[in-house]
Amino acid sequence: MSGAERHAAALQCDVGGGHAFTLRVPEGDTHARHVCDDCGYIHYVNPKIVVGSVVTWHGADDGEPRILMCRRAIEPRHGFWTLPAGYMELGETTEAAAMREAREEACADIRIDALLAVYSIPRIGQVQLMYKATLLSPDVMAGEESLEVALVRNNEIPWGDLAFPSVRWALTQHREVAQAGAFVPFTNPAGDMGNMVHGAD
Amino acid sequence: MSGAERHAAALQCDVGGGHAFTLRVPEGDTHARHVCDDCGYIHYVNPKIVVGSVVTWHGADDGEPRILMCRRAIEPRHGFWTLPAGYMELGETTEAAAMREAREEACADIRIDALLAVYSIPRIGQVQLMYKATLLSPDVMAGEESLEVALVRNNEIPWGDLAFPSVRWALTQHREVAQAGAFVPFTNPAGDMGNMVHGAD
Ligand SMILES: [Zn+2]
Ligand SMILES: [Zn+2]
């Protein structure tokens, strides 16, 4: 079995030696944890933070703002359109993470303007922080995780080919505040937990 | 060696068998990862989300608002004062996490009113989401992680005995918007990454 295959199997205790985890409520705890059957080690699995941005280019010749979008080169949702976003790393701030992702996915140099939204996607254990940002140069280019990148007009947004519900939320909510000065950040549209049944709709 | 001692030692590969991690940049990656020397498994360590709230009780006889504070029964900073907050769990939204923490730490029933702030604490790999909230009943009581809880007036806040810098940030920033309707959420005070040298000052 390859290393990857073994990791695809049940979680192994960090101690090594083939200990295995089961999900149960440890004494004194109120929440089910991955507890090692052999040595009692508790493996905490926490939600992950995704940071991204709705980036606008204001310098087009026709004066119409453009939004930076990326077509995914990797799974999940290969070939579908998304906003520059990705997992936050240790040692950075949320704003630095958004800037790094824009740089990595689209070679884009951006300025963070405001927090646009905080989304919770409980089923996959994610919290997404989306920022409203300004593109500082139109010289964008696909990074490794993008098949292509584009600066799209509002009426060119590929609504039918978005990668995830949260991309749709961010683009829709951004429209409401695109011209605004200060605004209160958004969260999930009421009752929507971001689960995908068919596509991102 | 106990299970706990072994876990205090260097990270072990999830595969088991005593594989050990070293920090290096995998091929095709741009960031140092914990890579298993034996089988190449990459153990991603991501920042964790802490969710908490500045909770106000508006029903005191003297009409003065009170803020819910908890004195820590656990390390780090045992005995120091904090706001109800803790690690977010899988399967919940950020707002539900804030409500759960208030319930667990102070038996407090709260209503979430607005996002108060987003703090990044890069050195310890944390992002903190702080909410502005309203206490629905004054019948609060210390939970297991609190030595005591109190509803404190503004001029009673134990500024000299706060557990962490972010507690001070949240209380200070909350003061600015305590009476406000809509407001733009705060972030770290300029240039402050939340490192503690002496106490929370
Ligand atoms: Zn074990
Ligand atoms: Zn290994």
Side-chain angles (χ1 to χ4, degrees):
Chain A
M1 205 175 10
S2 70
E5 285 164 329
R6 293 168 80 181
H7 290 295
L11 280 176
Q12 294 290 310
C13 171
D14 279 15
V15 171
H19 295 195
F21 288 112
T22 48
L23 202 60
R24 49 190 163 93
V25 181
E27 188 178 330
D29 205 334
T30 52
H31 204 96
R33 310 277 176 210
H34 290 91
V35 185
C36 176
D37 298 319
D38 293 280
C39 75
Y41 174 65
I42 300 173
H43 179 76
Y44 289 94
V45 184
N46 297 101
K48 291 188 177 165
I49 308 163
V50 165
V51 187
S53 46
V54 181
V55 185
T56 303
W57 169 243
H58 293 284
D61 290 341
D62 61 5
E64 251 197 86
R66 306 286 205 273
I67 291 181
L68 173 63
M69 298 202 69
C70 312
R71 205 155 76 93
R72 291 175 62 81
I74 57 173
E75 294 297 344
R77 302 287 280 165
H78 175 280
F80 290 87
W81 289 90
T82 189
L83 298 163
Y87 288 115
M88 189 174 173
E89 308 270 3
L90 289 179
E92 60 183 3
T93 62
T94 55
E95 294 85 353
M99 292 172 68
R100 176 184 53 72
E101 287 292 340
R103 198 180 321 124
E104 288 179 0
E105 297 193 354
C107 304
D109 194 18
I110 70 172
R111 181 191 72 218
I112 302 294
D113 296 319
L115 179 67
L116 174 67
V118 177
Y119 303 135
S120 298
I121 320 287
R123 197 183 53 84
I124 59 172
Q126 257 188 37
V127 169
Q128 299 184 3
L129 298 177
M130 294 299 299
Y131 285 92
K132 183 170 183 259
T134 298
L135 187 61
L136 300 177
S137 157
D139 297 330
V140 294
M141 209 166 63
E144 282 195 9
E145 293 181 7
S146 306
L147 293 171
E148 58 176 305
V149 297
L151 295 174
V152 303
R153 293 179 181 82
N154 269 327
N155 63 5
E156 291 170 336
I157 291 173
W159 295 104
D161 288 317
L162 298 181
F164 311 108
S166 55
V167 178
R168 181 167 41 83
W169 303 345
L171 287 168
T172 304
Q173 294 168 347
H174 179 270
R175 275 198 161 172
E176 293 183 40
V177 295
Q179 318 287 354
F183 61 89
V184 172
F186 297 87
T187 182
N188 299 37
D192 196 337
M193 293 293 115
N195 297 319
M196 295 185 56
V197 181
H198 301 291
D201 300 324
Chain B
M1 205 173 14
S2 70
E5 286 164 328
R6 292 168 81 182
H7 289 296
L11 279 176
Q12 295 289 310
C13 172
D14 280 12
V15 172
H19 296 192
F21 289 113
T22 47
L23 203 58
R24 51 188 161 94
V25 182
E27 189 178 329
D29 205 336
T30 51
H31 203 96
R33 310 278 177 207
H34 289 90
V35 185
C36 175
D37 299 318
D38 294 280
C39 74
Y41 175 64
I42 300 173
H43 180 76
Y44 288 96
V45 184
N46 297 102
K48 291 186 176 167
I49 307 163
V50 164
V51 187
S53 47
V54 180
V55 185
T56 302
W57 169 243
H58 293 284
D61 291 340
D62 61 6
E64 252 197 86
R66 305 288 204 274
I67 291 182
L68 173 64
M69 297 203 69
C70 312
R71 205 155 74 93
R72 290 176 63 80
I74 57 172
E75 293 297 346
R77 301 287 280 165
H78 174 280
F80 290 88
W81 290 90
T82 189
L83 298 164
Y87 287 116
M88 188 175 173
E89 308 271 1
L90 290 180
E92 60 184 4
T93 62
T94 56
E95 295 85 352
M99 293 172 68
R100 177 183 52 71
E101 287 293 341
R103 198 178 323 123
E104 288 179 1
E105 296 191 356
C107 305
D109 193 17
I110 71 172
R111 180 192 72 216
I112 302 294
D113 296 320
L115 180 66
L116 173 67
V118 177
Y119 303 134
S120 297
I121 320 288
R123 199 182 51 82
I124 59 171
Q126 258 188 37
V127 169
Q128 299 183 3
L129 297 177
M130 294 300 299
Y131 285 91
K132 184 171 183 257
T134 297
L135 187 61
L136 299 178
S137 156
D139 297 330
V140 294
M141 208 166 65
E144 281 195 12
E145 294 181 6
S146 305
L147 293 170
E148 58 175 306
V149 297
L151 295 174
V152 303
R153 293 179 180 83
N154 269 325
N155 63 5
E156 292 169 335
I157 292 173
W159 295 104
D161 289 317
L162 298 181
F164 311 109
S166 55
V167 178
R168 180 166 43 82
W169 302 347
L171 287 168
T172 304
Q173 292 167 347
H174 178 268
R175 275 199 161 170
E176 294 184 38
V177 295
Q179 320 285 355
F183 61 89
V184 172
F186 297 86
T187 181
N188 298 36
D192 197 336
M193 291 293 114
N195 297 320
M196 294 184 57
V197 181
H198 301 291
D201 300 324

